[in-house]
Amino acid sequence: MEPVPNVTRADAAQAVRNPLAFIAGRWTPSPRTVRRAALAALVMAVLIVVTGGAVRLTGSGLGCPTWPKCTDDSLTTTSEMGLHGVIEFGNRMLTYVLCAAVGWAIIAARSQKPYRRSLTRLGWAQFWVVMGNAILGGVVVLVGLNPYTVAAHFLLSTALIAVATVMWQRTREGDDAPRPLVGKPVLQMAWILVTATVLLIAVGTVVTGAGPHAGDSSEVHRIPLNWEDVTKLHAVLAWIVVTLAFALWFVLKAVDAPRGPLHRTRDLFLVLLAQGAIGYVQYFTDLPEVLVGLHMFGSCLVWIATLRVLLALRERPGTVAELPGQSTESALSRT
């Protein structure tokens, strides 16, 4: 065990003025630690979506009827509020765990040597999205689970997952300019796939806003659209995304693309098939809560898999750190 260095008054002042720089001057995380921190932030971004779905599906959306307090007189849930209050308040508390995970990712990125500004900015971008979504979540409660605000809340969570996925990928790359691994037509096809996936997720929020799971047992305003018609549109978009994923895999195979893009596209196709199966089963079984929750989780996986396909179509060579064993780490991350 190495002795802990004495902290002088000057050190304490520096820590107060710029705590991230203070930590970075005394700690150098390994590339694996930085990757794990970024992955933890991504996992928590998905988990907050899943637990938010649990709040909705158990009818606990107004378990804490106000915000930022749980009630007008209490910051926390009370015994009179029952299980719904516990579920809603628990989801609120999980936001702090998400903040801790994002904070760890920021600290790890800031402390990496050499300093990578682009990686740190991705961490801070996650932080501000989390803060914005926390405020929007409060608005959702204050307006009585208005379906449009609920949809915006989910879409902002989707944006958080996107930034977290990009940061996780960037921890495995260098800082050189991206170099495409495929031709421009193939890259354009991948962007069409991403756009179609965004539309699929957006229409999915409309399906939820018009559907029967309002999020609370009280009378909650719903989007005034025919739920079955919107669901059919959602299914058509899903088949378009599946077709685009298969077509992209076929084109990548035809042009003899590297294994990375092929494997990522194959993974996306399999996730889409599983998500589609869950979607059809829940539709024909009157939307059981468990399957709806699984479908929300599947939506996150589809989005992550789609982004990984796009990110796999280019590479960023270059050394990410001048540390022993770094070249081995970089080589492993590109396989």
Side-chain angles (χ1 to χ4, degrees):
M1 295 288 290
E2 295 183 1
V4 177
N6 293 327
V7 179
T8 65
R9 183 173 299 177
D11 291 334
Q14 180 189 359
V16 172
R17 288 195 304 269
N18 194 333
L20 290 179
F22 179 80
I23 296 172
R26 290 157 177 77
W27 178 52
T28 299
S30 67
R32 178 178 294 181
T33 298
V34 179
R35 287 199 300 270
R36 286 177 175 175
L39 179 59
L42 175 58
V43 170
M44 281 306 306
V46 173
L47 184 60
I48 202 74
V49 171
V50 174
T51 56
V55 170
R56 184 183 189 87
L57 295 170
T58 57
S60 305
L62 296 177
C64 287
T66 188
W67 186 87
K69 291 183 176 181
C70 194
T71 69
D72 292 333
D73 302 319
S74 175
L75 182 64
T76 63
T77 183
T78 62
S79 58
E80 292 80 7
M81 301 171 70
L83 181 61
H84 291 315
V86 173
I87 294 174
E88 163 65 8
F89 186 73
N91 182 248
R92 293 188 185 189
M93 291 299 98
L94 200 62
T95 302
Y96 293 101
V97 181
L98 172 61
C99 289
V102 172
W104 182 32
I106 293 172
I107 293 171
R110 177 65 180 83
S111 302
Q112 190 175 19
K113 309 296 186 302
Y115 171 54
R116 300 177 63 189
R117 183 181 298 273
S118 60
L119 203 60
T120 307
R121 284 178 173 175
L122 287 169
W124 278 111
Q126 290 182 69
F127 173 80
W128 291 116
V129 173
V130 170
M131 292 298 100
N133 214 13
I135 295 173
L136 182 55
V139 173
V140 170
V141 173
L142 294 176
V143 298
L145 305 182
N146 180 283
Y148 300 103
T149 60
V150 173
H153 193 47
F154 182 83
L155 291 176
L156 202 53
S157 296
T158 303
L160 174 63
I161 290 173
V163 179
T165 301
V166 173
M167 183 178 181
W168 182 42
Q169 175 67 25
R170 292 287 287 115
T171 62
R172 312 167 77 85
E173 301 173 329
D175 280 329
D176 289 355
R179 184 174 64 193
L181 298 176
V182 295
K184 187 175 181 180
V186 179
L187 192 57
Q188 290 174 336
M189 188 177 182
W191 274 109
I192 293 173
L193 172 63
V194 172
T195 303
T197 304
V198 171
L199 289 174
L200 174 66
I201 294 173
V203 173
T205 65
V206 178
V207 173
T208 302
H213 293 296
D216 191 74
S217 57
S218 61
E219 188 68 24
V220 175
H221 174 68
R222 315 302 297 139
I223 295 177
L225 294 172
N226 185 284
W227 177 76
E228 291 194 355
D229 289 343
V230 180
T231 301
K232 290 174 183 177
L233 174 61
H234 184 63
V236 170
L237 284 170
W239 279 111
I240 290 174
V241 172
V242 170
T243 302
L244 286 171
F246 180 77
L248 180 60
W249 178 86
F250 184 82
V251 170
L252 289 171
K253 194 77 172 176
V255 300
D256 197 23
R259 289 186 303 171
L262 277 169
H263 290 170
R264 295 291 179 267
T265 309
R266 176 205 60 195
D267 294 344
L268 170 61
F269 184 72
L270 294 176
V271 171
L272 284 168
L273 290 181
Q275 176 74 338
I278 294 173
Y280 276 107
V281 171
Q282 71 170 3
Y283 178 79
F284 289 111
T285 55
D286 297 325
L287 302 178
E289 286 79 2
V290 173
L291 288 183
V292 176
L294 283 176
H295 200 61
M296 292 184 66
F297 175 62
S299 174
C300 298
L301 296 185
V302 167
W303 182 225
I304 293 171
T306 302
L307 292 171
R308 295 192 73 198
V309 168
L310 183 65
L311 295 171
L313 298 179
R314 91 286 186 275
E315 64 177 359
R316 285 179 178 267
T319 304
V320 298
E322 300 294 340
L323 294 173
Q326 176 59 41
S327 58
T328 302
E329 290 280 353
S330 299
L332 289 173
S333 68
R334 291 195 292 270
T335 59

